[in-house]
Amino acid sequence: MKTDPFAIKQYPKWHPIRLAFTAKARLIEREARENFHKYALPEKNISTLPPTPNADWSNTAVTPSQMQHLLYALSMTEHLTDTVIVEVGCFRGITTQYLARATSRKLIAVDPFIGYGGSEEDYQHFKNNIAGLSNVVHERKTSGEAARTWQYGPVSLIFIDALHDYANTAFDIEAWSALTIKGAVLAMHDTDRVEFAGTRKAVFEAYKRTGLDLLAHPDNLTLLCKLNNDVS
Ligand SMILES: C[S@@+](CC[C@H](N)C(=O)[O-])C[C@H]1O[C@@H](n2cnc3c(N)ncnc32)[C@H](O)[C@@H]1O
């Protein structure tokens, strides 16, 4: 089981466990940057996509094409009734809003809004953007806390878009994969930028290790599909 990077923060900065974790994480990031091209997955665009929603693109880093691919992934899981959708890292709630609008299933939005890319101001935007969407449940927790205290049943679509380094992405993939069912889609954002080389490495390793299929891979978003139950 991978270590939850946020659990490590319980130790003071000088603690040997935290120092060792940070040093290892830095080495991995360096290796991921050096081998950025080695960890590339083939591009794969879907030709028949749902229409682009009329979203406020200034409040999200997700592009119209990526949003269409997310909505496509959501539609692929609609037959999995009694499952939920999870977004890890919601920021201002633009993707949250459009994914929730496209389904009657529950969308569990996981974001602690404690810094790390999500401020109190972002939280106010988030609340405005999900207002009136009765199928959105906000878990104001970190990814690890939310996964450990999970009570919403099987997950059929997980959109991982929190911290874009190896330690966090690899942890998120492992923690949330354990809660998915056969046919689920794992979508990871920011997989093709050298500044987030660790995220690309984590996704590449998950793909190689688990035998997940590459469902789609438009620029900077990778979607893997779980065809069996033995992901670990
Ligand atoms: C890149 S933004 C998410 C963007 C959003 N998915 C969208 O498409 O507009 C990253 C978010 O991750 C959140 N975050 C940071 N660390 C997190 C963690 N450990 N668990 C869950 N969310 C986290 C931040 O609060 C921030 O709002």
PDB file of all heavy atoms in Angstrom, residues 157-194:
ATOM      1  N   LEU A 157     -16.737   5.938 -11.879  1.00  0.00           N
ATOM      2  CA  LEU A 157     -15.887   6.919 -12.578  1.00  0.00           C
ATOM      3  C   LEU A 157     -15.150   7.725 -11.525  1.00  0.00           C
ATOM      4  O   LEU A 157     -15.774   8.279 -10.614  1.00  0.00           O
ATOM      5  CB  LEU A 157     -16.719   7.864 -13.456  1.00  0.00           C
ATOM      6  CG  LEU A 157     -15.966   9.059 -14.068  1.00  0.00           C
ATOM      7  CD1 LEU A 157     -14.853   8.588 -15.020  1.00  0.00           C
ATOM      8  CD2 LEU A 157     -16.915   9.996 -14.817  1.00  0.00           C
ATOM      9  N   ILE A 158     -13.835   7.738 -11.638  1.00  0.00           N
ATOM     10  CA  ILE A 158     -13.042   8.532 -10.710  1.00  0.00           C
ATOM     11  C   ILE A 158     -12.206   9.501 -11.531  1.00  0.00           C
ATOM     12  O   ILE A 158     -11.480   9.082 -12.436  1.00  0.00           O
ATOM     13  CB  ILE A 158     -12.180   7.626  -9.777  1.00  0.00           C
ATOM     14  CG1 ILE A 158     -11.116   8.436  -9.033  1.00  0.00           C
ATOM     15  CG2 ILE A 158     -11.511   6.476 -10.488  1.00  0.00           C
ATOM     16  CD1 ILE A 158     -11.616   9.075  -7.809  1.00  0.00           C
ATOM     17  N   PHE A 159     -12.339  10.779 -11.223  1.00  0.00           N
ATOM     18  CA  PHE A 159     -11.556  11.820 -11.908  1.00  0.00           C
ATOM     19  C   PHE A 159     -10.545  12.347 -10.896  1.00  0.00           C
ATOM     20  O   PHE A 159     -10.900  13.002  -9.918  1.00  0.00           O
ATOM     21  CB  PHE A 159     -12.480  12.930 -12.417  1.00  0.00           C
ATOM     22  CG  PHE A 159     -11.751  14.078 -13.074  1.00  0.00           C
ATOM     23  CD1 PHE A 159     -10.602  13.870 -13.830  1.00  0.00           C
ATOM     24  CD2 PHE A 159     -12.236  15.378 -12.959  1.00  0.00           C
ATOM     25  CE1 PHE A 159      -9.932  14.931 -14.445  1.00  0.00           C
ATOM     26  CE2 PHE A 159     -11.578  16.445 -13.571  1.00  0.00           C
ATOM     27  CZ  PHE A 159     -10.428  16.216 -14.301  1.00  0.00           C
ATOM     28  N   ILE A 160      -9.275  12.031 -11.131  1.00  0.00           N
ATOM     29  CA  ILE A 160      -8.198  12.411 -10.206  1.00  0.00           C
ATOM     30  C   ILE A 160      -7.518  13.671 -10.728  1.00  0.00           C
ATOM     31  O   ILE A 160      -6.877  13.663 -11.786  1.00  0.00           O
ATOM     32  CB  ILE A 160      -7.202  11.238 -10.042  1.00  0.00           C
ATOM     33  CG1 ILE A 160      -7.913  10.049  -9.366  1.00  0.00           C
ATOM     34  CG2 ILE A 160      -5.981  11.680  -9.237  1.00  0.00           C
ATOM     35  CD1 ILE A 160      -7.073   8.793  -9.243  1.00  0.00           C
ATOM     36  N   ASP A 161      -7.678  14.745  -9.960  1.00  0.00           N
ATOM     37  CA  ASP A 161      -7.171  16.047 -10.413  1.00  0.00           C
ATOM     38  C   ASP A 161      -6.780  16.887  -9.191  1.00  0.00           C
ATOM     39  O   ASP A 161      -7.180  18.029  -9.061  1.00  0.00           O
ATOM     40  CB  ASP A 161      -8.262  16.756 -11.240  1.00  0.00           C
ATOM     41  CG  ASP A 161      -7.715  17.970 -11.975  1.00  0.00           C
ATOM     42  OD1 ASP A 161      -6.497  18.121 -12.090  1.00  0.00           O
ATOM     43  OD2 ASP A 161      -8.540  18.788 -12.448  1.00  0.00           O
ATOM     44  N   ALA A 162      -6.008  16.277  -8.271  1.00  0.00           N
ATOM     45  CA  ALA A 162      -5.634  16.997  -7.043  1.00  0.00           C
ATOM     46  C   ALA A 162      -4.189  17.486  -7.158  1.00  0.00           C
ATOM     47  O   ALA A 162      -3.905  18.410  -7.909  1.00  0.00           O
ATOM     48  CB  ALA A 162      -5.867  16.109  -5.835  1.00  0.00           C
ATOM     49  N   LEU A 163      -3.278  16.835  -6.443  1.00  0.00           N
ATOM     50  CA  LEU A 163      -1.881  17.295  -6.504  1.00  0.00           C
ATOM     51  C   LEU A 163      -1.138  16.500  -7.560  1.00  0.00           C
ATOM     52  O   LEU A 163      -1.164  15.271  -7.575  1.00  0.00           O
ATOM     53  CB  LEU A 163      -1.217  17.152  -5.141  1.00  0.00           C
ATOM     54  CG  LEU A 163      -1.625  18.236  -4.137  1.00  0.00           C
ATOM     55  CD1 LEU A 163      -0.858  18.087  -2.838  1.00  0.00           C
ATOM     56  CD2 LEU A 163      -1.435  19.630  -4.699  1.00  0.00           C
ATOM     57  N   HIS A 164      -0.444  17.241  -8.422  1.00  0.00           N
ATOM     58  CA  HIS A 164       0.139  16.622  -9.613  1.00  0.00           C
ATOM     59  C   HIS A 164       1.607  16.291  -9.434  1.00  0.00           C
ATOM     60  O   HIS A 164       2.475  16.852 -10.108  1.00  0.00           O
ATOM     61  CB  HIS A 164      -0.077  17.543 -10.820  1.00  0.00           C
ATOM     62  CG  HIS A 164      -1.526  17.758 -11.107  1.00  0.00           C
ATOM     63  ND1 HIS A 164      -2.117  18.999 -11.086  1.00  0.00           N
ATOM     64  CD2 HIS A 164      -2.510  16.887 -11.383  1.00  0.00           C
ATOM     65  CE1 HIS A 164      -3.393  18.872 -11.354  1.00  0.00           C
ATOM     66  NE2 HIS A 164      -3.666  17.599 -11.528  1.00  0.00           N
ATOM     67  N   ASP A 165       1.867  15.405  -8.487  1.00  0.00           N
ATOM     68  CA  ASP A 165       3.221  14.849  -8.374  1.00  0.00           C
ATOM     69  C   ASP A 165       3.084  13.333  -8.252  1.00  0.00           C
ATOM     70  O   ASP A 165       1.972  12.801  -8.160  1.00  0.00           O
ATOM     71  CB  ASP A 165       3.992  15.454  -7.188  1.00  0.00           C
ATOM     72  CG  ASP A 165       3.290  15.249  -5.860  1.00  0.00           C
ATOM     73  OD1 ASP A 165       2.430  14.341  -5.760  1.00  0.00           O
ATOM     74  OD2 ASP A 165       3.582  15.980  -4.902  1.00  0.00           O
ATOM     75  N   TYR A 166       4.221  12.655  -8.268  1.00  0.00           N
ATOM     76  CA  TYR A 166       4.186  11.188  -8.278  1.00  0.00           C
ATOM     77  C   TYR A 166       3.545  10.640  -7.001  1.00  0.00           C
ATOM     78  O   TYR A 166       2.651   9.783  -7.061  1.00  0.00           O
ATOM     79  CB  TYR A 166       5.600  10.619  -8.446  1.00  0.00           C
ATOM     80  CG  TYR A 166       5.591   9.106  -8.430  1.00  0.00           C
ATOM     81  CD1 TYR A 166       5.348   8.388  -9.598  1.00  0.00           C
ATOM     82  CD2 TYR A 166       5.792   8.395  -7.250  1.00  0.00           C
ATOM     83  CE1 TYR A 166       5.292   7.000  -9.591  1.00  0.00           C
ATOM     84  CE2 TYR A 166       5.738   7.006  -7.236  1.00  0.00           C
ATOM     85  CZ  TYR A 166       5.487   6.317  -8.403  1.00  0.00           C
ATOM     86  OH  TYR A 166       5.432   4.946  -8.385  1.00  0.00           O
ATOM     87  N   ALA A 167       4.006  11.134  -5.855  1.00  0.00           N
ATOM     88  CA  ALA A 167       3.555  10.549  -4.584  1.00  0.00           C
ATOM     89  C   ALA A 167       2.041  10.648  -4.440  1.00  0.00           C
ATOM     90  O   ALA A 167       1.376   9.673  -4.049  1.00  0.00           O
ATOM     91  CB  ALA A 167       4.250  11.244  -3.409  1.00  0.00           C
ATOM     92  N   ASN A 168       1.488  11.814  -4.745  1.00  0.00           N
ATOM     93  CA  ASN A 168       0.038  11.996  -4.593  1.00  0.00           C
ATOM     94  C   ASN A 168      -0.751  11.260  -5.665  1.00  0.00           C
ATOM     95  O   ASN A 168      -1.763  10.616  -5.363  1.00  0.00           O
ATOM     96  CB  ASN A 168      -0.309  13.486  -4.598  1.00  0.00           C
ATOM     97  CG  ASN A 168      -0.004  14.142  -3.275  1.00  0.00           C
ATOM     98  OD1 ASN A 168      -0.777  14.023  -2.323  1.00  0.00           O
ATOM     99  ND2 ASN A 168       1.152  14.808  -3.178  1.00  0.00           N
ATOM    100  N   THR A 169      -0.299  11.351  -6.920  1.00  0.00           N
ATOM    101  CA  THR A 169      -1.078  10.700  -7.985  1.00  0.00           C
ATOM    102  C   THR A 169      -1.054   9.179  -7.818  1.00  0.00           C
ATOM    103  O   THR A 169      -2.092   8.514  -7.961  1.00  0.00           O
ATOM    104  CB  THR A 169      -0.536  11.094  -9.375  1.00  0.00           C
ATOM    105  OG1 THR A 169      -0.430  12.515  -9.437  1.00  0.00           O
ATOM    106  CG2 THR A 169      -1.462  10.613 -10.481  1.00  0.00           C
ATOM    107  N   ALA A 170       0.130   8.633  -7.519  1.00  0.00           N
ATOM    108  CA  ALA A 170       0.221   7.174  -7.359  1.00  0.00           C
ATOM    109  C   ALA A 170      -0.649   6.719  -6.181  1.00  0.00           C
ATOM    110  O   ALA A 170      -1.348   5.704  -6.261  1.00  0.00           O
ATOM    111  CB  ALA A 170       1.676   6.762  -7.146  1.00  0.00           C
ATOM    112  N   PHE A 171      -0.615   7.506  -5.091  1.00  0.00           N
ATOM    113  CA  PHE A 171      -1.457   7.166  -3.939  1.00  0.00           C
ATOM    114  C   PHE A 171      -2.935   7.243  -4.312  1.00  0.00           C
ATOM    115  O   PHE A 171      -3.721   6.336  -3.992  1.00  0.00           O
ATOM    116  CB  PHE A 171      -1.166   8.111  -2.758  1.00  0.00           C
ATOM    117  CG  PHE A 171      -2.154   7.941  -1.646  1.00  0.00           C
ATOM    118  CD1 PHE A 171      -2.060   6.864  -0.772  1.00  0.00           C
ATOM    119  CD2 PHE A 171      -3.222   8.818  -1.499  1.00  0.00           C
ATOM    120  CE1 PHE A 171      -3.005   6.662   0.234  1.00  0.00           C
ATOM    121  CE2 PHE A 171      -4.167   8.631  -0.497  1.00  0.00           C
ATOM    122  CZ  PHE A 171      -4.051   7.553   0.372  1.00  0.00           C
ATOM    123  N   ASP A 172      -3.335   8.327  -4.975  1.00  0.00           N
ATOM    124  CA  ASP A 172      -4.755   8.500  -5.340  1.00  0.00           C
ATOM    125  C   ASP A 172      -5.228   7.353  -6.231  1.00  0.00           C
ATOM    126  O   ASP A 172      -6.320   6.813  -6.027  1.00  0.00           O
ATOM    127  CB  ASP A 172      -4.968   9.840  -6.063  1.00  0.00           C
ATOM    128  CG  ASP A 172      -4.805  11.036  -5.139  1.00  0.00           C
ATOM    129  OD1 ASP A 172      -4.812  10.847  -3.907  1.00  0.00           O
ATOM    130  OD2 ASP A 172      -4.666  12.164  -5.653  1.00  0.00           O
ATOM    131  N   ILE A 173      -4.413   6.989  -7.212  1.00  0.00           N
ATOM    132  CA  ILE A 173      -4.815   5.906  -8.122  1.00  0.00           C
ATOM    133  C   ILE A 173      -5.035   4.618  -7.332  1.00  0.00           C
ATOM    134  O   ILE A 173      -6.045   3.936  -7.491  1.00  0.00           O
ATOM    135  CB  ILE A 173      -3.764   5.700  -9.238  1.00  0.00           C
ATOM    136  CG1 ILE A 173      -3.759   6.898 -10.187  1.00  0.00           C
ATOM    137  CG2 ILE A 173      -4.034   4.408 -10.017  1.00  0.00           C
ATOM    138  CD1 ILE A 173      -2.631   6.879 -11.218  1.00  0.00           C
ATOM    139  N   GLU A 174      -4.103   4.314  -6.451  1.00  0.00           N
ATOM    140  CA  GLU A 174      -4.215   3.062  -5.697  1.00  0.00           C
ATOM    141  C   GLU A 174      -5.417   3.091  -4.743  1.00  0.00           C
ATOM    142  O   GLU A 174      -6.217   2.155  -4.686  1.00  0.00           O
ATOM    143  CB  GLU A 174      -2.932   2.806  -4.906  1.00  0.00           C
ATOM    144  CG  GLU A 174      -2.928   1.449  -4.248  1.00  0.00           C
ATOM    145  CD  GLU A 174      -1.636   1.192  -3.483  1.00  0.00           C
ATOM    146  OE1 GLU A 174      -0.619   0.895  -4.127  1.00  0.00           O
ATOM    147  OE2 GLU A 174      -1.655   1.295  -2.253  1.00  0.00           O
ATOM    148  N   ALA A 175      -5.546   4.201  -4.008  1.00  0.00           N
ATOM    149  CA  ALA A 175      -6.613   4.287  -2.998  1.00  0.00           C
ATOM    150  C   ALA A 175      -7.994   4.213  -3.650  1.00  0.00           C
ATOM    151  O   ALA A 175      -8.892   3.513  -3.162  1.00  0.00           O
ATOM    152  CB  ALA A 175      -6.479   5.586  -2.210  1.00  0.00           C
ATOM    153  N   TRP A 176      -8.164   4.911  -4.784  1.00  0.00           N
ATOM    154  CA  TRP A 176      -9.492   4.967  -5.393  1.00  0.00           C
ATOM    155  C   TRP A 176      -9.781   3.768  -6.270  1.00  0.00           C
ATOM    156  O   TRP A 176     -10.937   3.362  -6.419  1.00  0.00           O
ATOM    157  CB  TRP A 176      -9.679   6.302  -6.118  1.00  0.00           C
ATOM    158  CG  TRP A 176      -9.745   7.405  -5.101  1.00  0.00           C
ATOM    159  CD1 TRP A 176      -8.731   8.234  -4.719  1.00  0.00           C
ATOM    160  CD2 TRP A 176     -10.855   7.728  -4.264  1.00  0.00           C
ATOM    161  NE1 TRP A 176      -9.144   9.064  -3.707  1.00  0.00           N
ATOM    162  CE2 TRP A 176     -10.450   8.777  -3.409  1.00  0.00           C
ATOM    163  CE3 TRP A 176     -12.166   7.248  -4.151  1.00  0.00           C
ATOM    164  CZ2 TRP A 176     -11.303   9.340  -2.463  1.00  0.00           C
ATOM    165  CZ3 TRP A 176     -13.017   7.815  -3.207  1.00  0.00           C
ATOM    166  CH2 TRP A 176     -12.574   8.848  -2.378  1.00  0.00           C
ATOM    167  N   SER A 177      -8.736   3.168  -6.854  1.00  0.00           N
ATOM    168  CA  SER A 177      -8.940   1.945  -7.646  1.00  0.00           C
ATOM    169  C   SER A 177      -9.575   0.861  -6.788  1.00  0.00           C
ATOM    170  O   SER A 177     -10.404   0.081  -7.258  1.00  0.00           O
ATOM    171  CB  SER A 177      -7.616   1.418  -8.189  1.00  0.00           C
ATOM    172  OG  SER A 177      -7.137   2.268  -9.187  1.00  0.00           O
ATOM    173  N   ALA A 178      -9.171   0.835  -5.525  1.00  0.00           N
ATOM    174  CA  ALA A 178      -9.674  -0.202  -4.618  1.00  0.00           C
ATOM    175  C   ALA A 178     -11.188  -0.074  -4.414  1.00  0.00           C
ATOM    176  O   ALA A 178     -11.830  -1.026  -3.983  1.00  0.00           O
ATOM    177  CB  ALA A 178      -8.952  -0.103  -3.279  1.00  0.00           C
ATOM    178  N   LEU A 179     -11.746   1.092  -4.707  1.00  0.00           N
ATOM    179  CA  LEU A 179     -13.184   1.310  -4.489  1.00  0.00           C
ATOM    180  C   LEU A 179     -13.999   1.215  -5.776  1.00  0.00           C
ATOM    181  O   LEU A 179     -15.214   1.411  -5.768  1.00  0.00           O
ATOM    182  CB  LEU A 179     -13.399   2.686  -3.844  1.00  0.00           C
ATOM    183  CG  LEU A 179     -12.776   2.833  -2.447  1.00  0.00           C
ATOM    184  CD1 LEU A 179     -12.750   4.282  -2.003  1.00  0.00           C
ATOM    185  CD2 LEU A 179     -13.552   1.988  -1.441  1.00  0.00           C
ATOM    186  N   THR A 180     -13.315   0.925  -6.882  1.00  0.00           N
ATOM    187  CA  THR A 180     -14.026   0.862  -8.164  1.00  0.00           C
ATOM    188  C   THR A 180     -14.500  -0.556  -8.465  1.00  0.00           C
ATOM    189  O   THR A 180     -14.021  -1.525  -7.880  1.00  0.00           O
ATOM    190  CB  THR A 180     -13.124   1.331  -9.328  1.00  0.00           C
ATOM    191  OG1 THR A 180     -11.975   0.480  -9.394  1.00  0.00           O
ATOM    192  CG2 THR A 180     -12.694   2.773  -9.167  1.00  0.00           C
ATOM    193  N   ILE A 181     -15.415  -0.634  -9.420  1.00  0.00           N
ATOM    194  CA  ILE A 181     -15.922  -1.952  -9.834  1.00  0.00           C
ATOM    195  C   ILE A 181     -15.558  -2.200 -11.290  1.00  0.00           C
ATOM    196  O   ILE A 181     -15.109  -1.290 -11.998  1.00  0.00           O
ATOM    197  CB  ILE A 181     -17.451  -2.060  -9.671  1.00  0.00           C
ATOM    198  CG1 ILE A 181     -18.148  -0.962 -10.489  1.00  0.00           C
ATOM    199  CG2 ILE A 181     -17.841  -1.992  -8.225  1.00  0.00           C
ATOM    200  CD1 ILE A 181     -19.568  -1.316 -10.799  1.00  0.00           C
ATOM    201  N   LYS A 182     -15.796  -3.415 -11.734  1.00  0.00           N
ATOM    202  CA  LYS A 182     -15.555  -3.791 -13.117  1.00  0.00           C
ATOM    203  C   LYS A 182     -16.303  -2.831 -14.055  1.00  0.00           C
ATOM    204  O   LYS A 182     -17.476  -2.534 -13.827  1.00  0.00           O
ATOM    205  CB  LYS A 182     -16.066  -5.224 -13.338  1.00  0.00           C
ATOM    206  CG  LYS A 182     -15.798  -5.761 -14.699  1.00  0.00           C
ATOM    207  CD  LYS A 182     -16.241  -7.213 -14.783  1.00  0.00           C
ATOM    208  CE  LYS A 182     -16.082  -7.703 -16.213  1.00  0.00           C
ATOM    209  NZ  LYS A 182     -16.541  -9.067 -16.393  1.00  0.00           N
ATOM    210  N   GLY A 183     -15.606  -2.356 -15.054  1.00  0.00           N
ATOM    211  CA  GLY A 183     -16.217  -1.418 -15.998  1.00  0.00           C
ATOM    212  C   GLY A 183     -15.976   0.037 -15.632  1.00  0.00           C
ATOM    213  O   GLY A 183     -16.342   0.949 -16.385  1.00  0.00           O
ATOM    214  N   ALA A 184     -15.356   0.283 -14.474  1.00  0.00           N
ATOM    215  CA  ALA A 184     -15.120   1.668 -14.039  1.00  0.00           C
ATOM    216  C   ALA A 184     -14.051   2.338 -14.897  1.00  0.00           C
ATOM    217  O   ALA A 184     -13.189   1.681 -15.471  1.00  0.00           O
ATOM    218  CB  ALA A 184     -14.679   1.677 -12.576  1.00  0.00           C
ATOM    219  N   VAL A 185     -14.141   3.672 -14.945  1.00  0.00           N
ATOM    220  CA  VAL A 185     -13.148   4.468 -15.676  1.00  0.00           C
ATOM    221  C   VAL A 185     -12.362   5.311 -14.673  1.00  0.00           C
ATOM    222  O   VAL A 185     -12.944   5.921 -13.772  1.00  0.00           O
ATOM    223  CB  VAL A 185     -13.824   5.382 -16.723  1.00  0.00           C
ATOM    224  CG1 VAL A 185     -12.788   6.246 -17.426  1.00  0.00           C
ATOM    225  CG2 VAL A 185     -14.606   4.554 -17.746  1.00  0.00           C
ATOM    226  N   LEU A 186     -11.039   5.311 -14.853  1.00  0.00           N
ATOM    227  CA  LEU A 186     -10.153   6.166 -14.052  1.00  0.00           C
ATOM    228  C   LEU A 186      -9.628   7.263 -14.972  1.00  0.00           C
ATOM    229  O   LEU A 186      -8.969   6.951 -15.978  1.00  0.00           O
ATOM    230  CB  LEU A 186      -8.950   5.365 -13.549  1.00  0.00           C
ATOM    231  CG  LEU A 186      -9.058   4.539 -12.278  1.00  0.00           C
ATOM    232  CD1 LEU A 186      -9.969   3.339 -12.497  1.00  0.00           C
ATOM    233  CD2 LEU A 186      -7.689   4.060 -11.845  1.00  0.00           C
ATOM    234  N   ALA A 187      -9.924   8.504 -14.656  1.00  0.00           N
ATOM    235  CA  ALA A 187      -9.462   9.617 -15.485  1.00  0.00           C
ATOM    236  C   ALA A 187      -8.456  10.435 -14.674  1.00  0.00           C
ATOM    237  O   ALA A 187      -8.721  10.776 -13.517  1.00  0.00           O
ATOM    238  CB  ALA A 187     -10.648  10.490 -15.885  1.00  0.00           C
ATOM    239  N   MET A 188      -7.324  10.723 -15.276  1.00  0.00           N
ATOM    240  CA  MET A 188      -6.288  11.487 -14.581  1.00  0.00           C
ATOM    241  C   MET A 188      -5.936  12.723 -15.404  1.00  0.00           C
ATOM    242  O   MET A 188      -5.630  12.608 -16.598  1.00  0.00           O
ATOM    243  CB  MET A 188      -5.019  10.639 -14.387  1.00  0.00           C
ATOM    244  CG  MET A 188      -5.065   9.701 -13.210  1.00  0.00           C
ATOM    245  SD  MET A 188      -6.132   8.254 -13.368  1.00  0.00           S
ATOM    246  CE  MET A 188      -5.501   7.462 -14.827  1.00  0.00           C
ATOM    247  N   HIS A 189      -5.954  13.883 -14.753  1.00  0.00           N
ATOM    248  CA  HIS A 189      -5.652  15.132 -15.457  1.00  0.00           C
ATOM    249  C   HIS A 189      -4.173  15.477 -15.326  1.00  0.00           C
ATOM    250  O   HIS A 189      -3.499  15.022 -14.421  1.00  0.00           O
ATOM    251  CB  HIS A 189      -6.515  16.269 -14.883  1.00  0.00           C
ATOM    252  CG  HIS A 189      -6.572  17.472 -15.767  1.00  0.00           C
ATOM    253  ND1 HIS A 189      -6.402  18.754 -15.301  1.00  0.00           N
ATOM    254  CD2 HIS A 189      -6.778  17.586 -17.113  1.00  0.00           C
ATOM    255  CE1 HIS A 189      -6.517  19.599 -16.303  1.00  0.00           C
ATOM    256  NE2 HIS A 189      -6.740  18.922 -17.415  1.00  0.00           N
ATOM    257  N   ASP A 190      -3.696  16.315 -16.248  1.00  0.00           N
ATOM    258  CA  ASP A 190      -2.315  16.825 -16.227  1.00  0.00           C
ATOM    259  C   ASP A 190      -1.274  15.716 -16.336  1.00  0.00           C
ATOM    260  O   ASP A 190      -0.308  15.662 -15.563  1.00  0.00           O
ATOM    261  CB  ASP A 190      -2.084  17.705 -14.987  1.00  0.00           C
ATOM    262  CG  ASP A 190      -2.696  19.083 -15.175  1.00  0.00           C
ATOM    263  OD1 ASP A 190      -2.550  19.658 -16.271  1.00  0.00           O
ATOM    264  OD2 ASP A 190      -3.337  19.581 -14.244  1.00  0.00           O
ATOM    265  N   THR A 191      -1.487  14.850 -17.309  1.00  0.00           N
ATOM    266  CA  THR A 191      -0.575  13.720 -17.512  1.00  0.00           C
ATOM    267  C   THR A 191       0.491  13.985 -18.570  1.00  0.00           C
ATOM    268  O   THR A 191       1.344  13.134 -18.796  1.00  0.00           O
ATOM    269  CB  THR A 191      -1.375  12.470 -17.944  1.00  0.00           C
ATOM    270  OG1 THR A 191      -2.209  12.817 -19.062  1.00  0.00           O
ATOM    271  CG2 THR A 191      -2.247  11.974 -16.820  1.00  0.00           C
ATOM    272  N   ASP A 192       0.439  15.161 -19.212  1.00  0.00           N
ATOM    273  CA  ASP A 192       1.340  15.377 -20.350  1.00  0.00           C
ATOM    274  C   ASP A 192       2.101  16.698 -20.296  1.00  0.00           C
ATOM    275  O   ASP A 192       2.402  17.279 -21.346  1.00  0.00           O
ATOM    276  CB  ASP A 192       0.531  15.272 -21.657  1.00  0.00           C
ATOM    277  CG  ASP A 192      -0.124  13.900 -21.778  1.00  0.00           C
ATOM    278  OD1 ASP A 192       0.608  12.895 -21.718  1.00  0.00           O
ATOM    279  OD2 ASP A 192      -1.361  13.839 -21.878  1.00  0.00           O
ATOM    280  N   ARG A 193       2.374  17.156 -19.085  1.00  0.00           N
ATOM    281  CA  ARG A 193       3.144  18.388 -18.952  1.00  0.00           C
ATOM    282  C   ARG A 193       4.398  18.066 -18.136  1.00  0.00           C
ATOM    283  O   ARG A 193       4.287  17.441 -17.065  1.00  0.00           O
ATOM    284  CB  ARG A 193       2.326  19.471 -18.231  1.00  0.00           C
ATOM    285  CG  ARG A 193       1.090  19.914 -18.993  1.00  0.00           C
ATOM    286  CD  ARG A 193       1.420  20.676 -20.263  1.00  0.00           C
ATOM    287  NE  ARG A 193       0.224  21.059 -21.009  1.00  0.00           N
ATOM    288  CZ  ARG A 193      -0.329  20.327 -21.982  1.00  0.00           C
ATOM    289  NH1 ARG A 193       0.198  19.169 -22.344  1.00  0.00           N
ATOM    290  NH2 ARG A 193      -1.408  20.752 -22.610  1.00  0.00           N
ATOM    291  N   VAL A 194       5.541  18.548 -18.629  1.00  0.00           N
ATOM    292  CA  VAL A 194       6.787  18.164 -17.969  1.00  0.00           C
ATOM    293  C   VAL A 194       6.843  18.665 -16.523  1.00  0.00           C
ATOM    294  O   VAL A 194       7.459  18.030 -15.659  1.00  0.00           O
ATOM    295  CB  VAL A 194       8.011  18.603 -18.817  1.00  0.00           C
ATOM    296  CG1 VAL A 194       8.249  20.099 -18.727  1.00  0.00           C
ATOM    297  CG2 VAL A 194       9.246  17.799 -18.442  1.00  0.00           C
TER     298      VAL A 194
END
